[in-house]
């Protein structure tokens, strides 16, 4: 294979690394300059509690107490990256979040999420964990 040839998986792998780094720097390290490096306007937000644009993230992140984002699995296809994570500090108790990010030119420009309260395995019908 020609080393200059980009395989189909390379953009997805690169986008996954961008998302994981961006989320770690912004939410774990609370480095607001990560927004300038990894996100771009116009930022389209599909989460029902948040408006479009990066100003909301700039305002919310510094006040997150006890926040942790623990990605358990990722998947990527083209310009989309999916993360399935255990999150503490976003709500009153732990939540499981599936985030979907769309990237354009290596920057996060769109976001969807599904948030569900964590149910312990012993309380699920199957006995299986959520994450």
């Amino acid at each position: 294979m020609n080393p200059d040839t980009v395989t189909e998986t390379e953009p997805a792998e690169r986008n996954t690394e961008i998302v994981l780094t961006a989320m770690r720097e912004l939410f774990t390290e609370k480095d607001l300059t990560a927004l300038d490096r990894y996100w771009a306007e116009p930022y389209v937000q599909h989460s029902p509690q948040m408006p479009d644009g990066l100003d909301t993230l700039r305002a919310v992140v510094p006040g997150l107490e006890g926040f942790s984002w623990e990605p358990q699995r990722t998947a990527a296809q083209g310009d989309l990256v999916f993360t399935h994570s255990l999150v503490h500090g976003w709500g009153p108790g732990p939540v499981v979040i599936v985030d979907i990010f769309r990237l354009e030119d290596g920057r996060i420009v769109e976001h969807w999420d599904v948030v569900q309260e964590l149910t312990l395995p012993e309380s699920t019908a199957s006995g299986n964990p959520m994450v």
Side-chain angles (χ1 to χ4, degrees), residues 68-88:
S68 67
W69 180 72
E70 303 165 23
Q72 304 296 304
R73 52 195 56 80
T74 63
Q77 181 179 21
D79 62 353
L80 298 174
V81 176
F82 305 79
T83 61
H84 182 217
S85 308
L86 177 61
V87 177
H88 295 269

Side-chain angles (χ1 to χ4, degrees), residues 95-114:
V95 293
V96 176
I97 301 179
V98 174
D99 286 294
I100 305 167
F101 303 91
R102 186 175 69 80
L103 287 82
E104 192 173 282
D105 298 324
R107 309 275 295 272
I108 301 167
V109 295
E110 198 163 6
H111 172 257
W112 299 258
D113 62 19
V114 179

Side-chain angles (χ1 to χ4, degrees), residues 25-97:
E25 288 184 15
L26 180 62
F27 286 101
T28 302
E29 299 170 13
K30 293 189 180 180
D31 179 357
L32 294 180
T33 65
L35 289 165
D36 301 322
R37 287 189 298 281
Y38 303 110
W39 277 263
E41 295 281 14
Y43 178 63
V44 180
Q45 177 62 264
H46 297 277
S47 181
Q49 293 83 22
M50 299 179 77
D52 287 342
L54 297 175
D55 288 342
T56 300
L57 288 174
R58 287 183 208 287
V60 168
V61 169
L64 292 174
E65 295 296 326
F67 186 87
S68 67
W69 180 72
E70 303 165 23
Q72 304 296 304
R73 52 195 56 80
T74 63
Q77 181 179 21
D79 62 353
L80 298 174
V81 176
F82 305 79
T83 61
H84 182 217
S85 308
L86 177 61
V87 177
H88 295 269
W90 190 252
V95 293
V96 176
I97 301 179

